Amino acid sequence: MAPSLDFANAERWSSLARVVDPRTRSNRLAIGGTLTAALVVGLLLLLGLDAGLSPFSAAIGVFLAWAIGRELDPDNPAAAAIAMPVSFGLLVLLGPSSLLVSTGVLLGARMTAGTVGSPLRPLDIAGIIGLSALLGATTIGVVGVAAMIVGVFFDEPRRSRSTAIIAASTTVFVVAALITGVEWSWTAPDAAGWATLVVGAVAAVAVVPAASPSSLCDHRTGPVRGERVTAARGMAGIAVLAGFALAGEAGIVALAGTAVAALAGTAIRRMLSYRRPVPSV
């Protein structure tokens, strides 16, 4: 796991948030990759070439792929590093991913994998409920909400508290969906979409089960458990398939540059490890 800056009493405000400490090599790669994605797309636009996405969408998409990759393979930063160029390629090929849905999947993966190691704080709960409301206005927002619900179920030990969080998130999601009148539609994927779906599905199968991690939780309360990481990988794969089932092409695009890239990075890292040790980055 990538260490965070030791801000005094930072854990009082949020357990889910993670400071990207530039003193760590993997985090420097994340920052550099994020900025590079934005600069490349910006340069293409200056040259009059349409990359199909904005510098902001490219940067955030690549960063989310890295962040999800860190949760899916906490012992191996190389997986997240590999996910970044994969993400950029998919973003250029298919267009921008849904940042809201991808954030929901990221938080769900973080809670499911148990990399936090500390109970959810009030700010975390407010963020989950607020994001659920925003997801209610998106076509496949239910995928992001479902991912967070799975995460809360795994991560919150008190059933009464987890039930309350899940009920509140579901309620605001449904209310937002009814108010905004989101319409459901399914469009058959093109060849690139089908190929991306296959990559995501194969990668999801290839990365389970996870080996027993040696990493500690972010708050040093204990080691990350292998079965929790396996569950997070499975959840990410199911999220990709659920997006396809709900919206077809749009559902694939929504998570292609983020969750699919993270799964692919984890699978590639695993395959390379069978041939030779992958150095930590």
Side-chain angles (χ1 to χ4, degrees), residues 182-242:
V182 175
E183 297 182 357
W184 297 80
S185 62
W186 195 93
T187 305
D190 58 15
W194 282 115
T196 302
L197 179 65
V198 170
V199 168
V202 171
V205 172
V207 297
V208 294
S212 297
S214 60
S215 300
L216 293 176
C217 300
D218 287 347
H219 292 273
R220 308 297 178 184
T221 55
V224 178
R225 292 161 48 192
E227 63 269 22
R228 293 281 296 270
V229 176
T230 297
R233 293 177 180 183
M235 183 275 293
I238 292 172
V240 173
L241 295 176

Side-chain angles (χ1 to χ4, degrees), residues 256-276:
T258 52
V260 172
L263 286 166
T266 304
I268 293 170
R269 196 285 309 165
R270 191 172 212 179
M271 288 187 294
L272 291 175
S273 69
Y274 293 142
R275 301 178 58 183
R276 64 181 184 279

Side-chain angles (χ1 to χ4, degrees), residues 1-2 62 98 121 168 272:
M1 299 297 297
V62 166
S98 170
R121 305 301 184 191
L272 291 175

Side-chain angles (χ1 to χ4, degrees), residues 46-142:
L46 288 175
L47 295 175
L49 302 174
D50 184 11
L53 70 164
S54 68
F56 176 81
S57 295
I60 301 302
V62 166
F63 179 80
L64 286 172
W66 173 85
I68 296 173
R70 293 296 290 120
E71 304 305 328
L72 300 186
D73 203 348
D75 270 3
N76 297 284
I82 294 169
M84 297 181 81
V86 175
S87 169
F88 186 76
L90 289 173
L91 290 170
V92 172
L93 179 65
L94 297 175
S97 295
S98 170
L99 303 184
L100 286 176
V101 177
S102 299
T103 300
V105 172
L106 167 62
L107 295 180
R110 186 152 167 71
M111 290 184 285
T112 302
T115 58
V116 179
S118 179
L120 295 174
R121 305 301 184 191
L123 185 61
D124 298 320
I125 297 171
I128 291 170
I129 296 173
L131 181 57
S132 297
L134 293 175
L135 287 166
T138 64
T139 304
I140 63 164
V142 65

Side-chain angles (χ1 to χ4, degrees), residues 6-28:
D6 186 18
F7 289 164
N9 300 319
E11 68 277 3
R12 290 185 179 181
W13 301 104
S14 174
S15 295
L16 290 177
R18 170 187 287 170
V19 178
V20 181
D21 185 352
R23 293 173 297 184
T24 303
R25 186 183 178 192
S26 63
N27 292 346
R28 291 198 299 272

